[in-house]
Amino acid sequence: MVHHFTIDVEEHFQVSAMEPHLPRAEWDAFPSRVEASTLRIVELLEEHGMHGTFFVLGWVARRRPELVRRIAEGGHEVASHGWDHRRVTALDPTQFRRQVRESRDLLESLSGAPVLGYRAPSFSIVPGLEWALEILAEEGYRYDSSLYPVRRRGYGYPGGKRRPHTLDLGEHTLFEFPPLTLRLLRANLPAGGGGTFRQFPLGYTAQALRRSEAAAIPGTFYIHPWEVDPEQPRVPGLPFLTRVRHYRGIGQTMARLRRLLSTFRFRPIRDTLAELEPVEVGP
Ligand SMILES: [Zn+2]
């Protein structure tokens, strides 16, 4: 069984929990860290002979075109994380369409390959926002990886399926690759990566991946560049909990990723999709 390794490519100050404390207009004043930390993950994957799916923000691609080219040249998949990390809950359908279209156009022109997939900032396609999935399909996307089947405040898609599946959207279909969860006492717990990967014992993620293997389905794991960047400057004025959640465990992420990549096999979502449907890859 080969799982999916995915990376949401964004700056350390663009995470949703910081949004209320950090106006977008100030983003350009912060030192950029995304290139070096993303390359750390690219090189780690390559050391292990593996490739991943990089969901890149349009905002980042515009400012760091060389990074997108480097990811693509390494044989990794480039996909879209929207434009400016605004959650889908904060966009209307017209704004959403513009974000997924413009980020896709830019990423395709930089990578020279079709963009097939999308992941919403903070898994923000929540129940009631299914119109976003229809727009993705209309815009030519082939899969989504935003429906996190967990019950959490502000994000998640409780009631969603835990395994990869097809979404029937009337005229279109879209494949859905939900982030990894762990089923416990009839509840779905988040186990896809990010905070749980940094803050829980490694065995937690490993257990979720092993159970996926036992069910013969690939698990979808995710991590952010800022999670492998212990030296990132601390954003001032964050509330206590936001600070703890963002920075805790950050010094150990690289070592943990090394163990994860030595234990399990991963590939881009694109490769699994190609087995589910014939996909034209490359220009
Ligand atoms: Zn994100």
Side-chain angles (χ1 to χ4, degrees):
M1 184 51 57
V2 189
H3 301 288
H4 304 134
F5 195 99
T6 71
I7 303 93
D8 293 353
V9 181
E10 63 200 35
E11 294 279 6
H12 62 104
F13 48 81
Q14 291 176 320
V15 303
S16 293
M18 293 188 187
E19 212 176 349
H21 315 283
L22 208 63
R24 275 184 175 69
E26 290 177 20
W27 278 0
D28 274 313
F30 274 84
S32 169
R33 311 273 305 176
V34 71
E35 186 148 21
S37 44
T38 302
L39 289 177
R40 220 167 281 159
I41 300 176
V42 168
E43 283 157 15
L44 185 69
L45 281 168
E46 291 172 3
E47 267 170 46
H48 288 81
M50 293 187 222
H51 296 100
T53 296
F54 290 73
F55 293 99
V56 184
L57 283 180
W59 191 96
V60 169
R62 163 99 8 117
R63 287 160 178 80
R64 295 280 174 272
E66 284 309 317
L67 176 62
V68 180
R69 286 192 199 105
R70 166 68 183 87
I71 293 169
E73 279 162 11
H76 305 278
E77 177 184 9
V78 174
S80 170
H81 194 35
W83 191 268
D84 63 355
H85 217 267
R86 234 173 271 265
R87 283 177 270 202
V88 184
T89 44
L91 298 172
D92 65 32
T94 309
Q95 294 168 320
F96 179 77
R97 190 184 296 276
R98 195 185 316 134
Q99 289 223 352
V100 300
R101 184 180 292 177
E102 289 179 1
S103 61
R104 180 189 156 124
D105 287 350
L106 177 58
L107 293 168
E108 287 188 343
S109 75
L110 292 172
S111 69
V115 164
L116 307 171
Y118 171 79
R119 174 172 292 146
S122 302
F123 307 108
S124 57
I125 300 185
V126 298
L129 298 189
E130 289 78 8
W131 52 260
L133 301 165
E134 285 171 37
I135 290 174
L136 286 173
E138 286 165 12
E139 291 295 319
Y141 283 83
R142 294 304 305 129
Y143 76 85
D144 170 73
S145 183
S146 310
L147 304 185
Y148 207 172
V150 295
R151 192 175 294 280
R152 283 289 181 279
R153 197 155 55 135
Y155 70 94
Y157 198 79
K161 290 196 183 118
R162 298 178 57 231
R163 58 172 62 221
H165 55 281
T166 311
L167 298 166
D168 190 359
L169 303 166
E171 264 179 65
H172 304 277
T173 55
L174 195 66
F175 285 92
E176 175 62 37
F177 293 92
L180 185 66
T181 49
L182 186 63
R183 186 95 180 137
L184 195 71
L185 303 173
R186 288 194 291 169
N188 293 342
L189 304 180
T196 55
F197 181 71
R198 271 184 292 123
Q199 301 178 24
F200 293 8
L202 181 59
Y204 178 83
T205 306
Q207 168 79 337
L209 288 169
R210 281 201 195 93
R211 285 216 213 150
S212 275
E213 290 177 359
I217 54 172
T220 299
F221 175 83
Y222 72 89
I223 200 79
H224 301 91
W226 52 266
E227 293 182 286
V228 298
D229 182 17
E231 273 91 50
Q232 66 192 271
R234 293 337 192 212
V235 172
L238 295 181
F240 175 72
L241 268 181
T242 305
R243 213 164 58 224
V244 169
R245 285 195 189 117
H246 186 81
Y247 300 114
R248 187 164 61 189
I250 240 166
Q252 282 93 55
T253 316
M254 276 302 273
R256 283 191 171 200
L257 285 176
R258 239 179 222 112
R259 284 169 64 196
L260 191 77
L261 293 172
S262 308
T263 313
F264 297 95
R265 290 173 60 219
F266 294 91
R267 66 181 182 181
I269 294 178
R270 171 186 71 191
D271 293 8
T272 300
L273 188 74
E275 291 173 1
L276 298 169
E277 65 165 16
V279 180
E280 282 175 43
V281 175

